[in-house]
Amino acid sequence: MKKSSKRFTISTEAKNSHGFRVRTEGVDLTDFRKNPLLLWMHQRPKGERSDEILPLGYWADIEVKDGKITGVPMFDESDPFAMKIYNKVENGTIKMASAGLKPGTFKTEGADKWLWNSSIQEGSLCDIGSNKEALGVALYNEENELVKLADFEQTFKTKSNTMKSLELPADAVLPLLKLNEGANAADAHEAILKLVTTSNNQAIEIVNLKQEKTDLKKELDDLKKADESTKITALVDKAVEDRKITADQKASMIKLAESNYDSAKSYLESLTPAPTVASQTGKGGDAAKELMKLSWQELDAQGKLIQLKEENFEGFKEKFKEEFKTEYK
């Protein structure tokens, strides 16, 4: 037997495709724990055809927790079809399980209809996207025959024109289809079609919401990347301006900042600005002193602000502060 890496929800108390809720505490698991049958789409082989789908395996690690019944599928490695389903489970193609329940009693609480007591016969894996019979829960009658939507319609055509001819108790079925006693086959057929249409519309809505979520996440990621890129460019440009790195080093420093911004920032802050040509040759001494005698306006008018900045950066910052009443950054 091959154990799946996925844990499936077999039954919950959420409203299912039949329109009612299953009370988890009311599900009898005694027989199921003894024989936790794992089927495909609730198909039970009867030995009538050579191509019948046999049980896929069994359920392991069955848990009842937080209003849910869950389990891990164990697949029969000797069955090629079972292994096909195993592969689809592992790659995420098949994601849904369905409980096959034998109903006991139904109960109404407020606006909700509950299958209050039941027993679980089997748990199936389902491809809900392509088969309307792959419901969130399947029901069996007293003869252990699966009750499907097609069974409802056939019952109306061959037995009676009232809901009382269904294999489930009429007092349970009528509220589920929101029909009054005495409803005929056409009424039931229309109600069932509405349920199927609603289910399909909800499935489409879920797909659209997932796509919207993906698009919004991508948009947010793009904005974060743009903001990060702007911050990195400003950091490196400032280092070039402060003569801590050369223009040729800019590209490599941007790559470093992209991989680790904080490390790049710390590294650049630790660097000492390169000296100006004037300070290295000693040509700026007396000239710089003369420039300091001029005001900011005079320096600007004579086009000597850049000269002062190169030859006496501290003096340039002092003139800037005198003129604008703030520190030069």
Side-chain angles (χ1 to χ4, degrees):
M1 303 301 288
K2 195 159 188 176
K3 188 174 184 178
S4 171
S5 64
K6 316 286 186 180
R7 173 173 288 276
F8 279 78
T9 298
I10 302 172
S11 179
T12 74
E13 293 188 341
K15 185 176 291 186
N16 56 52
S17 299
H18 284 299
F20 60 88
R21 303 178 188 273
V22 176
R23 189 172 71 98
T24 299
E25 290 184 2
V27 179
D28 185 353
L29 293 166
T30 304
D31 292 336
F32 184 64
R33 290 188 184 277
K34 294 177 182 177
N35 182 32
L37 198 60
L38 172 63
L39 300 182
W40 171 244
M41 305 286 283
H42 303 292
Q43 297 186 50
R44 300 176 67 185
K46 299 180 181 179
E48 298 174 351
R49 304 190 319 273
S50 60
D51 62 345
E52 282 184 322
I53 296 177
L54 300 175
L56 304 178
Y58 64 88
W59 292 92
D61 302 331
I62 299 168
E63 290 183 358
V64 180
K65 185 179 180 181
D66 298 329
K68 298 180 181 179
I69 301 173
T70 65
V72 178
M74 298 287 293
F75 292 88
D76 184 353
E77 294 180 81
S78 67
D79 186 342
F81 180 79
M83 295 314 298
K84 285 183 180 180
I85 302 302
Y86 167 83
N87 290 328
K88 290 186 180 296
V89 166
E90 293 304 300
N91 67 26
T93 301
I94 295 175
K95 301 178 180 179
M96 172 166 270
S98 172
L101 300 174
K102 180 179 288 186
T105 59
F106 285 83
K107 184 176 180 180
T108 300
E109 282 196 344
D112 290 323
K113 309 299 186 297
W114 289 84
L115 177 52
W116 201 252
N117 294 297
S118 61
S119 60
I120 184 167
Q121 306 296 296
E122 47 85 8
S124 289
L125 295 178
C126 296
D127 176 10
I128 194 169
S130 63
N131 190 327
K132 69 177 182 180
E133 304 292 3
L135 305 172
V137 60
L139 300 178
Y140 288 86
N141 60 21
E142 291 301 323
E143 288 71 42
N144 280 330
E145 296 173 335
L146 192 63
V147 179
K148 302 180 182 179
L149 291 178
D151 294 334
F152 281 92
E153 296 176 1
Q154 187 62 31
T155 299
F156 297 143
K157 294 177 183 178
T158 60
K159 292 185 178 181
S160 173
N161 64 349
T162 69
M163 292 294 291
K164 292 183 178 179
S165 64
L166 293 173
E167 292 179 72
L168 288 174
D171 59 349
V173 175
L174 291 174
L176 299 181
L177 296 179
K178 297 181 179 180
L179 296 175
N180 297 322
E181 187 174 355
N184 58 31
D187 296 330
H189 181 76
E190 183 180 354
I192 292 170
L193 288 179
K194 286 182 179 179
L195 288 175
V196 174
T197 300
T198 299
S199 177
N200 291 337
N201 290 341
Q202 288 175 341
I204 293 172
E205 184 177 356
I206 289 172
V207 171
N208 291 337
L209 288 173
K210 287 182 178 179
Q211 184 60 49
E212 288 179 12
K213 179 181 178 182
T214 300
D215 293 342
L216 288 173
K217 185 178 184 303
K218 183 179 183 302
E219 184 178 345
L220 179 60
D221 290 341
D222 290 343
L223 288 173
K224 287 182 178 179
K225 288 179 181 178
D227 182 63
E228 188 72 15
S229 177
T230 301
K231 185 169 67 171
I232 290 172
T233 300
L235 173 70
V236 177
D237 284 346
K238 184 68 166 57
V240 174
E241 180 185 345
D242 292 345
R243 306 173 64 85
K244 291 186 175 183
I245 61 173
T246 65
D248 293 339
Q249 296 173 302
K250 182 175 177 178
S252 60
M253 189 55 60
I254 286 177
K255 288 184 178 180
L256 175 62
E258 286 174 345
S259 62
N260 193 321
Y261 178 84
D262 291 336
S263 294
K265 185 173 184 293
S266 298
Y267 171 70
L268 291 174
E269 289 175 347
S270 69
L271 297 178
T272 302
T276 64
V277 175
S279 64
Q280 288 179 305
T281 59
K283 294 180 179 180
D286 293 338
K289 291 179 182 178
E290 291 299 319
L291 292 176
M292 287 298 295
K293 295 178 181 180
L294 302 175
S295 68
W296 179 274
Q297 297 294 336
E298 292 171 331
L299 289 167
D300 186 32
Q302 298 177 30
K304 294 183 178 181
L305 285 173
I306 295 177
Q307 180 183 349
L308 177 62
K309 184 177 181 181
E310 291 182 349
E311 296 182 2
N312 186 353
F313 185 61
E314 293 300 321
F316 174 84
K317 293 196 293 184
E318 181 181 331
K319 292 292 183 182
F320 182 90
K321 185 175 182 179
E322 289 176 359
E323 178 68 19
F324 299 106
K325 311 304 181 186
T326 184
E327 298 287 346
Y328 176 79
K329 297 182 181 179

